[in-house]
Amino acid sequence: MAERSTAAVDVADNSGDEPLAAKAAQATADGVDTQNGRAADGPMPEKDGERASAAPSAAPELHSGHKLARRYRLEECVTRLDGFSSWRAMDEKLRRAVGVHLLPADHPRGRSVLAAARSSALLGDPRFVQVLDAVEENDLVYVVHEWLPDATELTALLAAGPLEHHEAYQLVSQISQAMAAAHREGLAHLRLTPSAILRTSTGQYRIRGLAVNAALRGITSETPQRADTEAIGALLYAALTQRWPYENDAYGLTGLPKGVGLIAPDQVRAGVHRGLGELAMRALANDGATASRQEPACTTPEELAKAVAAMPRIRPPEPVFTAPPEYQHTTYQQGSYGRPTPPGGPAVQNLAVTPPPPLQSRTGRVLKWGVAALLIAALGLGSWQLADALLGRNNQSDDQQQQTHHGDNAPEKKDPAPIAIKRAEEYYPDGTPQDLDGVPNTYDGDDSTYWRTRTFYDGPEVKVKAGLGVVYDLGSEQEVSAASIALKFAGNHTTVTLYATKNMSSQTPVASMKKIVGATTSDSALKLTAETPVKTRYVLLWITAMPQAGADDYTKAGYKQAITDVTFAG
């Protein structure tokens, strides 16, 4: 594994796009879950020339409340193992939870841990958990790493059962591609266990402990690419079968029967996807031995990633809808009313209705003519009343129309007229801009161009800044009463406020500005309408909360937003 840098790693804020804000360790080695505060059920078997050094002296005796660098306050010790300790801590500067690995400065592996953390931090791949700081001071070596409270460890997912085929496909695809990228930069993991894999709420798999987990345990390998590839194969095997592909039980999973060797996944559990099962066997191959006779073994993450890409894509399962209960027709609706009862069927009463006899007597004839006369009179009276009502309505309608055209002199309410934007500048009172070159894209009328924020790992409220925004020049004072804002990322929490300001300077505080209107949306478009128009030449569009979005060509996954188009009216 190539040592890439020994420079100290630190960040000024939690923006995921800072140059040194890279991905790294979130677990101790040997399957210890530092995020959930428990150890895995067993160590990963050493293979392929892996070597572990002897354990040194005990970890430093620290306590909750202790501060590192006047910034990281230790809150809970989640494990003590092999001369180092791991903590959940609070970064008081950025007000976010972090994880910390601690070991004495004279620890035999202290230097290698620092080198591994600093090298991992320079990778800058969002698929790896981020290393935030790696420092040696006051007789201590500590590595500060990202903390993901909303992520689920693969160990917990497997405890509930094997993964669905599409989920297992996503697992091997994302992990193999991430490790291929790491090895291209000379970085190996060597501790890819279920406790090192986290699944976020958006379905993304992230790897913690790149290089650091192995350095904490003193593990090395003469063939690091094959070691990581076989580890990915073991993860896929466990995801398909809920069994660990070795004889020993580990990570809450039962191992394979002793003495029978490696068994194909579809022989362990029925219904295993054949293509994924073959991939697992090709990655688990030792010295070229594989259960798949048609395909060669995969010995590097790059080969495994290409093999995954070459197989037909596995789509997510279709949603299952429960059919409503069948409508039960009544006997009458089924048309059986009055029919003979079928043999063995329910008895149905057949009622015969006899019509009354006709009125043939003298009295009957008089009665018939009397009723007919009454009906004719009633019809005539009803027709006269109906005509009178219709004529009255028509007269009333004519009077109302005449009053509308001649008697109402109130002015008609006009729709707000568009206001042209002359120019715009980014507003960044903290001295750190987001995307200076992208500001003109917000009023060029092109939905494919935009101004973007950086990625922030704390949210949805913007915590490390007061907010993010752009100030617009309307050319002259205008009555601003409405705005239409097109956003790139839909999702909850986007909060935008418009302020009237006296100039375009970023040194003008928001507190001195007059609020026009503000709102929060979960859509990709936001329309704002003020109760009272505000006369101003300069308008600040101020963002104070953003949705969570995935990675794109410019920014990593996290809390972020982009503005594609802005129009004002008044």
Side-chain angles (χ1 to χ4, degrees):
M1 182 176 65
E3 182 175 325
R4 297 158 42 119
S5 173
T6 57
V9 178
D10 200 354
V11 291
D13 60 24
N14 69 336
S15 169
D17 302 311
E18 294 295 333
L20 294 181
K23 306 299 174 185
Q26 180 148 341
T28 61
D30 203 15
V32 175
D33 178 6
T34 62
Q35 181 151 300
N36 297 320
R38 59 180 178 79
D41 293 337
M44 184 176 181
E46 293 183 3
K47 295 182 176 295
D48 261 346
E50 290 181 2
R51 299 186 299 274
S53 63
S57 58
E61 289 295 335
L62 298 174
H63 56 82
S64 298
H66 182 88
K67 283 188 182 180
L68 302 173
R70 299 180 181 178
R71 175 176 179 177
Y72 306 112
R73 186 182 73 249
L74 303 182
E75 293 191 340
E76 180 187 5
C77 182
V78 293
T79 187
R80 292 183 185 274
L81 179 69
D82 207 19
F84 63 87
S85 62
S86 297
W87 296 74
R88 177 176 58 82
M90 174 60 65
D91 183 347
E92 294 187 337
K93 181 178 180 181
L94 300 182
R95 294 180 294 173
R96 61 176 174 181
V98 294
V100 179
H101 297 309
L102 280 168
L103 63 164
D106 59 353
H107 195 290
R109 297 194 291 271
R111 297 291 181 182
S112 60
V113 169
L114 279 176
R118 290 165 178 172
S119 298
S120 175
L122 295 177
L123 181 60
D125 192 318
R127 293 169 291 192
F128 294 91
V129 175
Q130 183 180 23
V131 168
L132 305 174
D133 211 346
V135 177
E136 177 182 0
E137 66 178 8
N138 298 331
D139 299 326
L140 284 176
V141 168
Y142 59 88
V143 175
V144 182
H145 56 83
E146 189 180 4
W147 190 270
L148 303 177
D150 62 338
T152 304
E153 189 184 285
L154 182 59
T155 306
L157 297 176
L158 295 180
L163 301 186
E164 183 270 328
H165 292 161
H166 171 72
E167 198 64 37
Y169 171 81
Q170 289 295 323
L171 169 71
V172 67
S173 176
Q174 294 182 32
I175 299 302
S176 61
Q177 290 178 20
M179 288 310 306
H183 277 281
R184 285 194 292 269
E185 300 297 325
L187 293 171
H189 196 291
L190 305 182
R191 293 296 302 170
L192 277 173
T193 66
S195 60
I197 308 300
L198 300 174
R199 185 185 185 278
T200 68
S201 57
T202 60
Q204 179 187 12
Y205 285 95
R206 298 185 67 181
I207 304 171
R208 61 184 178 186
L210 178 65
V212 177
N213 279 7
L216 286 167
R217 293 291 296 165
I219 294 174
T220 61
S221 175
E222 296 177 358
T223 55
Q225 295 212 48
R226 188 172 71 174
D228 281 343
T229 306
E230 184 172 348
I232 300 173
L235 295 175
L236 177 58
Y237 192 102
L240 296 172
T241 64
Q242 202 185 10
R243 298 285 293 269
W244 193 237
Y246 304 102
E247 291 185 353
N248 296 328
D249 299 346
Y251 313 107
L253 302 173
T254 304
L256 298 179
K258 299 184 183 298
V260 299
L262 185 61
I263 307 172
D266 56 3
Q267 296 178 6
V268 177
R269 180 179 291 273
V272 171
H273 189 279
R274 182 175 180 181
L276 291 176
E278 290 184 354
L279 277 179
M281 297 299 289
R282 292 173 64 186
L284 280 167
N286 292 317
D287 300 322
T290 174
S292 175
R293 302 296 180 184
Q294 293 80 20
E295 301 292 342
C298 296
T299 58
T300 67
E302 187 78 39
E303 292 177 357
L304 181 57
K306 291 180 178 178
V308 175
M311 68 180 295
R313 183 177 180 182
I314 301 176
R315 300 188 177 276
E318 295 292 334
V320 179
F321 297 98
T322 304
E326 184 179 356
Y327 182 75
Q328 298 296 326
H329 296 280
T330 64
T331 305
Y332 179 80
Q333 291 167 328
Q334 291 172 346
S336 61
Y337 183 80
R339 295 180 181 178
T341 303
V348 179
Q349 185 178 3
N350 190 2
L351 300 177
V353 180
T354 303
L359 298 175
Q360 299 296 337
S361 64
R362 178 184 177 88
T363 304
R365 288 195 296 270
V366 172
L367 181 60
K368 286 193 295 182
W369 284 111
V371 170
L374 289 174
L375 288 174
I376 293 172
L379 289 173
L381 180 62
S383 300
W384 176 80
Q385 290 177 339
L386 177 61
D388 183 65
L390 290 175
L391 289 173
R393 288 182 183 178
N394 288 337
N395 292 335
Q396 183 180 5
S397 178
D398 292 340
D399 292 342
Q400 290 176 349
Q401 291 179 3
Q402 186 174 4
Q403 290 176 2
T404 301
H405 291 294
H406 301 288
D408 189 1
N409 296 323
E412 295 183 2
K413 187 176 181 180
K414 298 180 180 180
D415 293 333
I419 301 175
I421 297 173
K422 302 302 181 182
R423 62 192 181 103
E425 293 180 3
E426 186 169 331
Y427 179 83
Y428 51 102
D430 64 341
T432 305
Q434 302 294 299
D435 181 17
L436 293 175
D437 295 335
V439 171
N441 297 332
T442 64
Y443 60 100
D444 61 357
D446 186 354
D447 291 340
S448 64
T449 61
Y450 50 86
W451 168 85
R452 58 182 173 82
T453 72
R454 298 184 183 183
T455 299
F456 296 85
Y457 292 102
D458 278 352
E461 293 80 11
V462 180
K463 297 180 179 179
V464 299
K465 302 174 181 291
L468 312 149
V470 178
V471 60
Y472 295 91
D473 180 5
L474 307 181
S476 62
E477 286 195 342
Q478 306 281 342
E479 293 280 350
V480 179
S481 61
S484 179
I485 304 167
L487 305 167
K488 181 173 175 61
F489 303 112
N492 293 333
H493 310 302
T494 298
T495 302
V496 177
T497 306
L498 300 182
Y499 290 96
T501 180
K502 60 184 180 181
N503 53 44
M504 302 185 72
S505 172
S506 293
Q507 303 304 315
T508 303
V510 174
S512 67
M513 303 178 187
K514 182 176 182 179
K515 180 179 177 180
I516 302 175
V517 64
T520 299
T521 183
S522 60
D523 203 353
S524 59
L526 177 61
K527 293 186 180 298
L528 300 172
T529 302
E531 293 184 1
T532 304
V534 176
K535 194 170 185 178
T536 182
R537 174 176 175 175
Y538 305 101
V539 179
L540 171 64
L541 188 156
W542 193 230
I543 301 174
T544 52
M546 300 178 291
Q548 203 167 25
D552 54 29
D553 294 339
Y554 297 100
T555 54
K556 306 181 181 80
Y559 294 96
K560 58 184 178 179
Q561 190 52 273
I563 300 174
T564 63
D565 195 38
V566 174
T567 58
F568 295 107

